[in-house]
Amino acid sequence: MAQPKEKYHHGNLRQALINAGQQLLIEKGIHCLSLRETAKAAGVSHTAPYRHFKDKDMLLAAIAESGFEQLAEALQNAAESCADDPEKQLTEAAVTYVKLAITHIEMHQLMFGNILNEDSMSESVLEKKQRVFDTLFKIIENGQKQNIYIEAETLELAVAAWSLMHGYALLISSGQLREAATSLMQIETLARAVTTHLMVGLVKSEKFAEEV
Amino acid sequence: MAQPKEKYHHGNLRQALINAGQQLLIEKGIHCLSLRETAKAAGVSHTAPYRHFKDKDMLLAAIAESGFEQLAEALQNAAESCADDPEKQLTEAAVTYVKLAITHIEMHQLMFGNILNEDSMSESVLEKKQRVFDTLFKIIENGQKQNIYIEAETLELAVAAWSLMHGYALLISSGQLREAATSLMQIETLARAVTTHLMVGLVKSEKFAEEV
DNA sequence: ACCTGAACACCGTTCAAGT
DNA sequence: ACCTGAACACCGTTCAAGT
């Protein structure tokens, strides 16, 4: 009785394939994740997945779905842990984003590495992906309401913040910043520094005082 | 006489393979670029490339090399076009970076999409890659010398700037910002806005005046 | 030295066939 | 309905063999 979806020989082959695929992704990397091996790991023939996914991309998107969910939730938690301090909210969100990205490099690459085609994402995947950006957007919006952030377009500020943390995470995870930061602690410290630079700006404020 | 490297039936099979590969990369995308097709396009058997490249990754790295070179040069030109104005230098570098990334999406993805293994890059590739970051670093350094940018670690500021433009370019090229900007003009406008936000900061400067 | 062709162990996908 | 096995057209890589 338990679950309503008792099937052929799996309780739920769809979910079993997603789990097996996620496991393989973590263990062997995105470029060694094959449909055939995923099916084998789930104990079915290599054509069985086609009962549940139109093609390989659809399986990958389904695997990424839980990643988007997890990321949105982590950002949400980070934001809620310091709801009274918008600046800290943004810093913590950035650190959370970067940490999650580099501790789940393969998953992050699947999610944001241009591997998934937007067309091969179901509505529920797109919705979860959107939630990631929405969380960030709300942090900025909140900071503007509390009169901490400048009154520019919220979207512009959110894109700036997202670009910064996303770019930083990718530069780290692709090894481009190996000379600047290697240990997890250095990476986090640099992440905080970089986020602060965005909040405070690169240009000397005295200069603006002069100009204005 | 011309070139010293007159070979079997190609003047220079190595270069012919790089060119053919680059062509295929642009036409069909990184995931449809195969060694076998590249060899075929260059008019040799599918095993001939192994005379010139240890494996497929080495061929890909060689293709990316010219991309790094081109990018470093474009950034250099952008910087030189306004050597007297550090703020403009950074904005123009960012716009140049983003433009090049999105007009050569496939190449940019090969260069920065975590496809190439650092280990499978020759010294000359690594050196050209480094030049990209160096150009950016020098723009910041120059701005600091001219007393325009704050006196923090140059490396931190350069990483912030690079993260921002890199993240923005990748978010654009992977379609994550389709709702925020679609046309090339919108993309450029948003790039300028985002770069300005980094330079000026998200946090209201009055707030700092109060605090200090 | 430089290139080829056959061979190997993999892919993703399709399709007729089985229960 | 759900799954299988053979088949197809691709991969990257190795290796003995050709000139």
Side-chain angles (χ1 to χ4, degrees), chain A residues 79-137:
Chain A
E80 279 168 10
S81 76
C82 44
D84 52 321
D85 186 344
E87 287 185 61
K88 202 174 173 222
Q89 277 194 309
L90 188 55
T91 310
E92 291 314 305
V95 170
T96 302
Y97 188 95
V98 172
K99 267 189 176 171
L100 216 66
I102 63 168
T103 54
H104 299 79
I105 292 186
E106 296 299 344
M107 182 57 104
H108 190 257
Q109 191 158 16
L110 172 61
M111 288 155 66
F112 294 111
N114 237 342
I115 289 155
L116 269 43
N117 193 319
E118 194 103 331
D119 307 338
S120 61
M121 293 195 207
S122 68
E123 275 307 313
S124 75
V125 178
L126 288 172
E127 190 258 325
K128 268 144 198 162
K129 207 183 86 172
Q130 186 61 42
R131 212 140 76 197
V132 173
F133 182 66
D134 288 348
T135 308
L136 192 58
F137 188 90

Side-chain angles (χ1 to χ4, degrees), chain A:
Chain A
M1 304 246 161
Q3 240 92 1
K5 268 206 169 182
E6 279 294 325
K7 293 274 175 61
Y8 211 49
H9 45 294
H10 281 86
N12 191 346
L13 180 55
R14 192 190 136 87
Q15 192 57 49
L17 286 166
I18 291 172
N19 294 342
Q22 191 165 14
Q23 193 65 30
L24 284 171
L25 172 69
I26 292 162
E27 279 168 15
K28 318 190 50 176
I30 184 73
H31 287 111
C32 300
L33 202 188
S34 70
L35 238 188
R36 290 171 99 109
E37 242 192 299
T38 305
K40 198 201 252 177
V44 290
S45 82
H46 65 269
T47 55
Y50 288 94
R51 290 293 122 202
H52 300 277
F53 302 99
K54 209 202 94 203
D55 54 23
K56 190 189 177 183
D57 270 12
M58 284 289 199
L59 170 60
L60 292 180
I63 294 170
E65 182 166 355
S66 67
F68 287 123
E69 207 164 7
Q70 210 183 321
L71 177 56
E73 208 167 302
L75 291 179
Q76 188 62 44
N77 288 341
E80 279 168 10
S81 76
C82 44
D84 52 321
D85 186 344
E87 287 185 61
K88 202 174 173 222
Q89 277 194 309
L90 188 55
T91 310
E92 291 314 305
V95 170
T96 302
Y97 188 95
V98 172
K99 267 189 176 171
L100 216 66
I102 63 168
T103 54
H104 299 79
I105 292 186
E106 296 299 344
M107 182 57 104
H108 190 257
Q109 191 158 16
L110 172 61
M111 288 155 66
F112 294 111
N114 237 342
I115 289 155
L116 269 43
N117 193 319
E118 194 103 331
D119 307 338
S120 61
M121 293 195 207
S122 68
E123 275 307 313
S124 75
V125 178
L126 288 172
E127 190 258 325
K128 268 144 198 162
K129 207 183 86 172
Q130 186 61 42
R131 212 140 76 197
V132 173
F133 182 66
D134 288 348
T135 308
L136 192 58
F137 188 90
K138 274 173 194 152
I139 290 174
I140 304 282
E141 199 174 41
N142 180 42
Q144 286 183 309
K145 273 185 196 147
Q146 294 193 32
N147 206 31
I148 302 289
Y149 295 138
I150 57 174
E151 278 149 24
E153 277 290 331
T154 311
L155 184 65
E156 279 182 13
L157 303 192
V159 168
W162 194 16
S163 296
L164 187 84
M165 60 178 80
H166 188 62
Y168 180 75
L170 288 173
L171 289 173
I172 289 285
S173 77
S174 65
Q176 319 273 330
L177 297 180
R178 225 165 269 160
E179 283 169 36
T182 46
S183 73
L184 222 155
M185 221 193 74
Q186 287 177 309
I187 288 171
E188 187 177 327
T189 304
L190 186 53
R192 285 180 197 281
V194 160
T195 312
T196 303
H197 289 317
L198 171 64
M199 291 196 291
V200 176
L202 302 188
V203 177
K204 284 198 175 185
S205 47
E206 304 99 78
K207 184 158 174 300
F208 278 92
E210 279 168 35
E211 278 176 1
V212 177

Side-chain angles (χ1 to χ4, degrees), chain B residues 13-200:
Chain B
L13 179 54
R14 192 189 135 87
Q15 192 57 49
L17 286 166
I18 291 172
N19 294 344
Q22 190 165 14
Q23 194 64 29
L24 284 171
L25 172 69
I26 292 161
E27 279 169 16
K28 318 191 49 177
I30 184 72
H31 288 111
C32 300
L33 202 188
S34 71
L35 240 188
R36 290 171 98 109
E37 242 191 301
T38 306
K40 197 200 251 177
V44 290
S45 81
H46 64 270
T47 56
Y50 288 94
R51 291 292 121 203
H52 300 278
F53 302 99
K54 207 202 96 203
D55 55 23
K56 190 189 175 182
D57 271 12
M58 284 288 199
L59 170 60
L60 292 180
I63 294 170
E65 183 166 355
S66 68
F68 287 122
E69 207 164 7
Q70 211 184 322
L71 178 55
E73 208 167 303
L75 291 179
Q76 188 62 44
N77 288 342
E80 279 167 10
S81 77
C82 44
D84 54 321
D85 186 345
E87 289 185 60
K88 200 171 175 224
Q89 276 193 308
L90 188 55
T91 309
E92 291 314 305
V95 170
T96 302
Y97 188 95
V98 172
K99 266 189 176 169
L100 216 65
I102 64 168
T103 53
H104 299 79
I105 292 186
E106 296 299 344
M107 182 57 104
H108 190 256
Q109 191 159 15
L110 173 61
M111 288 156 66
F112 294 110
N114 237 343
I115 288 154
L116 270 43
N117 194 319
E118 194 103 330
D119 308 338
S120 61
M121 293 196 208
S122 69
E123 275 307 313
S124 75
V125 179
L126 288 172
E127 189 259 324
K128 268 143 199 163
K129 207 183 85 171
Q130 186 62 42
R131 212 139 78 198
V132 173
F133 183 65
D134 287 348
T135 308
L136 192 58
F137 188 90
K138 273 172 194 152
I139 291 174
I140 304 283
E141 200 174 41
N142 180 42
Q144 286 183 309
K145 272 184 197 147
Q146 294 193 32
N147 206 31
I148 302 289
Y149 295 139
I150 57 174
E151 278 148 25
E153 277 289 332
T154 311
L155 184 64
E156 280 182 12
L157 302 192
V159 168
W162 194 16
S163 295
L164 187 85
M165 61 178 76
H166 188 62
Y168 180 75
L170 288 173
L171 288 173
I172 289 285
S173 77
S174 64
Q176 319 274 330
L177 298 180
R178 225 164 269 159
E179 283 169 36
T182 46
S183 73
L184 222 154
M185 221 193 75
Q186 287 177 308
I187 288 170
E188 186 176 329
T189 304
L190 186 54
R192 284 180 197 280
V194 160
T195 312
T196 303
H197 289 316
L198 171 66
M199 291 196 291
V200 176

